Amino acid sequence: MNVRTASEQNTREYAFSPRDFECVKKLIYARAGIALAENRQEMVYTRLSRRLRATGSRGFDDYLERLERDGQDAEWESFVNALTTNLTSFFREEHHFPILANLVKKRQPGQTMKLWCSAASTGEEPYSMAMTMIETFESLKPPVRILATDIDTDVLATAREGVYSLDKLDSMTPERVRRFFMKGKNDTAGYARVRQEVRDLVTFRQLNLLDPKWPMRGPFDAIFCRNVMIYFDKPTQYRILQKFVPLLDSDGLLFMGHSEVFQHAADLIKLIDRTVYKPVVK
């Protein structure tokens, strides 16, 4: 447990008690299903302090009472955005993309592939999916539609722009960078933008995976939900998987993160490759 002395607490701009942290844990779990560990107290204080300043709140009591009082307060969106961790990169967990390519190669000619990236973050993952499809079909207009969703509206705005610092492209081959990005000049030097043909394959939408109803329709050929479930407890994971499975094609694939294990959902999905799952046929 992260324990701070009284003198350390006094150096903070705002008082932040164990009760405040428990309240934050309760609110973010109810709103977004995120189960905060005890060692996240410092992260919570740092990120939410910015919201206290932005809203002119007198302290954490004032700010948290406002959220609890009004479930429709516009500040809820900023609260969730502040506590959402968005670690991603192009072609992260690269072994998944050849598997995705092999999957779509098996589809019938003329069939439009439907893919869903359910935790799009700043866009690197869905754009990696789009690049894979262009390479697989050897066409800038492959028969593919990619839905990309995230709970965090701030990162979705970045994703739609498709502009990244050049160091973000280091994980890709020079050939891919030349083919799929336009490097900036003058005022935009040091940045690159995803080419329009790639961006046209992806539709970004805001979605909370805890929403009781999801607006999309299946079946999807593949769903990516990587390194998201680690923030949920097992009952929440199970409820989300229960909603994923009916949206997958009968031989569709569910791509998960390397640190996620779903033995508690063996009646829903089965492991067929490294962190790749298929629905259990009943």
Side-chain angles (χ1 to χ4, degrees):
M1 183 178 293
N2 187 10
V3 179
R4 298 177 65 92
T5 65
S7 61
E8 287 176 315
Q9 286 277 6
N10 290 337
T11 64
R12 285 176 164 174
E13 182 178 358
Y14 303 100
F16 186 59
S17 67
R19 179 180 174 276
D20 293 330
F21 181 65
E22 288 303 314
C23 183
V24 171
K25 285 176 62 177
K26 180 188 74 173
L27 294 176
I28 195 63
Y29 181 80
R31 198 75 172 194
I34 296 172
L36 287 172
E38 291 298 319
N39 64 1
R40 307 303 282 171
Q41 292 184 43
E42 193 64 29
M43 179 274 286
V44 167
Y45 173 83
T46 300
R47 295 187 181 184
L48 289 186
S49 291
R50 300 169 191 151
R51 298 309 313 155
L52 267 65
R53 295 186 205 102
T55 58
S57 301
R58 296 185 301 273
F60 273 88
D61 282 350
D62 182 30
Y63 179 75
L64 296 173
E65 284 174 10
R66 168 183 171 173
L67 292 175
E68 288 188 291
R69 186 170 59 247
D70 187 357
Q72 302 304 314
D73 195 316
E75 178 57 25
W76 270 107
E77 183 175 296
S78 297
F79 171 77
V80 172
N81 288 355
L83 295 179
T84 304
T85 300
N86 294 286
L87 297 175
T88 187
S89 61
F90 288 103
F91 291 94
R92 186 182 187 187
E93 303 195 37
E94 193 167 7
H95 65 281
H96 281 161
F97 295 96
I99 297 172
L100 176 64
N102 288 332
L103 172 69
V104 300
K105 286 177 184 177
K106 299 175 183 177
R107 294 301 190 240
Q108 294 296 321
Q111 180 182 356
T112 298
M113 309 293 120
K114 290 178 62 179
L115 312 178
W116 177 20
C117 173
S118 64
S121 187
T122 46
E124 289 92 327
E125 183 169 292
Y127 287 137
S128 297
M129 296 164 68
M131 293 177 218
T132 300
M133 295 298 96
I134 290 172
E135 292 172 342
T136 302
F137 287 97
E138 298 181 344
S139 169
L140 288 173
K141 294 185 177 181
V144 174
R145 288 184 292 162
I146 301 172
L147 173 65
T149 64
D150 202 282
I151 191 174
D152 188 332
T153 53
D154 290 338
V155 297
L156 285 174
T158 299
R160 289 189 183 98
E161 285 296 312
V163 177
Y164 303 92
S165 59
L166 292 181
D167 64 289
K168 296 282 188 179
L169 313 186
D170 289 344
S171 60
M172 286 182 287
T173 64
E175 180 185 357
R176 272 181 173 158
V177 174
R178 285 193 299 269
R179 186 176 184 185
F180 297 122
F181 292 84
M182 299 177 294
K183 291 187 178 180
K185 300 178 181 178
N186 300 324
D187 292 346
T188 57
Y191 291 87
R193 188 170 198 181
V194 180
R195 289 189 180 274
Q196 187 66 50
E197 295 89 347
V198 181
R199 303 207 314 273
D200 286 345
L201 296 176
V202 185
T203 300
F204 291 96
R205 294 282 185 269
Q206 195 273 342
L207 176 72
N208 184 346
L209 290 174
L210 290 196
D211 286 347
K213 291 185 178 180
W214 293 345
M216 74 284 293
R217 287 185 175 183
F220 288 96
D221 295 275
I223 298 174
F224 276 56
C225 186
R226 306 189 305 171
N227 304 303
V228 178
M229 294 290 205
I230 55 174
Y231 299 106
F232 301 142
D233 60 16
K234 291 193 182 303
T236 304
Q237 291 177 0
Y238 191 88
R239 289 196 299 273
I240 293 172
L241 289 170
Q242 279 182 308
K243 295 168 74 175
F244 276 148
V245 167
L247 290 174
L248 275 168
D249 190 78
S250 58
D251 60 349
L253 298 181
L254 181 61
F255 293 83
M256 309 302 283
H258 67 275
S259 59
E260 297 164 334
V261 179
F262 301 103
Q263 292 175 343
H264 59 291
D267 60 320
L268 299 175
I269 57 175
K270 61 180 179 180
L271 187 67
I272 64 161
D273 208 320
R274 185 175 160 201
T275 60
V276 181
Y277 295 80
K278 286 188 71 171
V280 171
V281 178
K282 297 182 180 180

